[in-house]
Amino acid sequence: RPLGIDEVRLEPGFWADRQRLGGEVIIDHCRDWMTRLGWVGNFRLAAEGRPLSERQGREFSDSEVYKLLEALCWEAARTGAHGAERGVAELTELVAAAQEPDGYLNTRFGHQGPGVRYSDLEMGHELYCFGHLIQAAVARLRTHGEDELVAVARRAADHVCRQFGPGGRDGICGHPEIETALAELARATGEERYLEQARLFVERRGRGLLGDHELGQAYFQDDVPVRAARVLRGHAVRALYLASGAVDVAVETGDDELLEAVAEQWRNTVAARTYLT
């Protein structure tokens, strides 16, 4: 089970120093750079319906703003710092303004008409970005309770369930992350449909639903079903996010077979496919 926010405390030492440095320096440093690079401003452009040519950053830059928002949520709860709480409110206002009426939210693909959405599941990172938004909201829900950020994430998650649930698109994201986020949201809210959607995404992986990649389908972990895979493979970040999501689903649903499959992948990978660099 996830530990409660009050069940762990970092005592003075290496990690506590990193935590303190994060709150005092690093979060503001990150926000300053994300503002200068235009990633924060992308949400304002989307809300105003400005041309896509004015948008700054990579297709996944929304996720960086969501991770900043998540960090602010944790820091506001940990220290009660007014600046962190104000940062949560300011970024939430921007993000909420960019969300579309049906819950869809993405500064790269949004507000261009429904035909553009999910037109590049391989590399578009739309569901990946939703996942990071949801995890920011889970941090807020666990530390503060229901508010506008949580409402935004609920609308986004409901949109995902409608679009990719039973009777919807038989698709997955080229970059896993939405799986573990939906499982976390289910834990935090008690809404089983979020866990079921996470389970569907895990079970769909490995069926060749994504297009080709120059490094093969293993790049997306879409070459072999999760239950049949023997090792972690492909893009490392994708592999670890998928493993995390599969474990979350297995633990929450009592699926011992799925849990053992991922455990075996981990054992084999650590034993024979790990090196220091």
Side-chain angles (χ1 to χ4, degrees), residues 250-270:
V251 168
E252 293 301 314
T253 61
D255 191 332
D256 293 338
E257 177 190 81
L258 179 59
L259 185 61
E260 176 54 31
V262 181
E264 182 185 14
Q265 293 164 28
W266 177 263
R267 290 193 295 268
N268 291 340
T269 300
V270 171

Side-chain angles (χ1 to χ4, degrees), residues 200-219:
L200 283 175
F201 281 139
V202 169
E203 297 293 359
R204 287 173 185 168
R205 185 76 50 171
R207 290 168 44 199
L209 294 177
L210 296 169
D212 293 332
H213 189 276
E214 60 183 344
L215 299 178
Q217 292 295 96
Y219 180 84

